[in-house]
Amino acid sequence: MRIFLDTAMIDEIREVARWGILSGITTNPTLMSKNAGKTHEDVIREIASIVDGPISAETISLDTDGMVTEGRRFAAWHPNVVVKVPSTPNGWAAVKRLADEGIRTNVTLCFSANQALFAALAGAYIISPFVGRLDDISEDGMQVVRDTVEIYRQHHLPTLVLAASIRHPLHIIAAAQAGADIATVPFKVLEQAAKHPLTDKGIETFLKDWEKFSHEQR
Ligand code: G3P
């Protein structure tokens, strides 16, 4: 399973790119709105200069023509741009038209395996089931990921399953166990998942012992 960062903040992207584990970026209008003073194009181009992998940029149109127009514009910014459209009939229609032009899409706001099936049939490159937002309303968000992975495998559908709306480190493990191709993770959750107190304690002890050892050798 690949790790994407779910952010439009350049500092966060630079930091995780440094770790050597980052394969792509997802953004959405809420995340993008934190970049006051920059244009959408500026931010996507800057991200593309840091990360060599798919970068999702989300459309805001509700009609198919609007999504296709936005998608063509985004795709011209960089070859790694993937156009995000919502899980709606208009969204699937946009996926089909953009796919026919060779433009990759990420179908977002997916809350059911049926929506995931339809996105794949339309030719989506990525489907994004939202795990945390389903958990928020007492549904099992990860079950949609499991069901989608099973359906895609069984019917040989090549669309990549991206677990989105990841809220805590255990979601990352569960997404990997469910067979998701990608998990997109907010910076804070990735930091939480990266740290372990026993690693820090172990480093401290090793350094202290090494200090004693090298002192005795002088
Ligand atoms: O990028 C889409 C998704 O990951 C948003 O997550 O936490 O706002 O539900 P969240």
Side-chain angles (χ1 to χ4, degrees):
M1 184 180 77
R2 288 185 275 165
I3 296 288
F4 285 14
L5 198 55
D6 197 23
T7 187
M9 301 306 291
I10 299 299
D11 289 355
E12 295 179 352
I13 294 168
R14 278 195 204 289
E15 172 58 18
V16 180
R18 199 178 65 78
W19 299 2
I21 65 161
L22 187 60
S23 297
I25 301 292
T26 52
T27 67
N28 63 37
T30 304
L31 297 171
M32 198 52 73
S33 70
K34 294 176 185 159
N35 276 296
K38 292 183 185 174
T39 66
H40 194 186
E41 180 176 352
D42 288 343
V43 178
I44 296 295
R45 282 185 188 274
E46 197 171 354
I47 295 172
S49 73
I50 302 166
V51 181
D52 184 19
I55 299 158
S56 291
E58 188 154 345
T59 57
I60 48 155
S61 299
L62 299 179
D63 62 301
T64 302
D65 283 345
M67 290 177 203
V68 170
T69 304
E70 283 188 74
R72 286 182 186 138
R73 188 158 52 84
F74 299 171
W77 294 340
H78 195 278
N80 283 344
V81 168
V82 175
V83 178
K84 253 174 138 178
V85 300
S87 292
T88 59
N90 284 347
W92 302 318
V95 166
K96 172 97 183 72
R97 282 172 54 186
L98 290 167
D100 288 345
E101 296 179 22
I103 296 174
R104 297 180 297 175
T105 52
N106 173 354
V107 179
T108 188
L109 292 166
C110 170
F111 294 99
S112 77
N114 275 328
Q115 289 179 320
L117 173 61
F118 301 157
L121 295 176
Y125 174 61
I126 291 172
I127 183 70
S128 291
F130 274 35
V131 175
R133 290 191 196 187
L134 279 169
D135 290 357
D136 289 345
I137 58 161
S138 306
E139 287 190 31
D140 183 357
M142 203 55 75
Q143 191 56 44
V144 178
V145 175
R146 285 184 215 106
D147 290 344
T148 302
V149 167
E150 187 186 343
I151 291 165
Y152 285 7
R153 300 292 178 268
Q154 196 157 346
H155 296 279
H156 309 290
L157 295 164
T159 303
L160 300 172
V161 180
L162 178 151
S165 189
I166 294 288
R167 299 284 175 73
H168 53 72
L170 288 179
H171 270 159
I172 304 174
I173 295 170
Q177 287 171 330
D181 300 288
I182 303 158
T184 193
V185 185
F187 181 72
K188 190 179 134 249
V189 176
L190 210 52
E191 269 195 325
Q192 289 170 329
K195 287 193 175 136
H196 199 289
L198 290 181
T199 304
D200 295 341
K201 195 167 174 269
I203 290 171
E204 200 187 312
T205 309
F206 283 157
L207 287 180
K208 262 194 210 142
D209 292 344
W210 187 261
E211 180 65 24
K212 259 190 274 160
F213 173 64
S214 57
H215 191 73
E216 281 160 12
Q217 287 185 337
R218 274 184 219 143

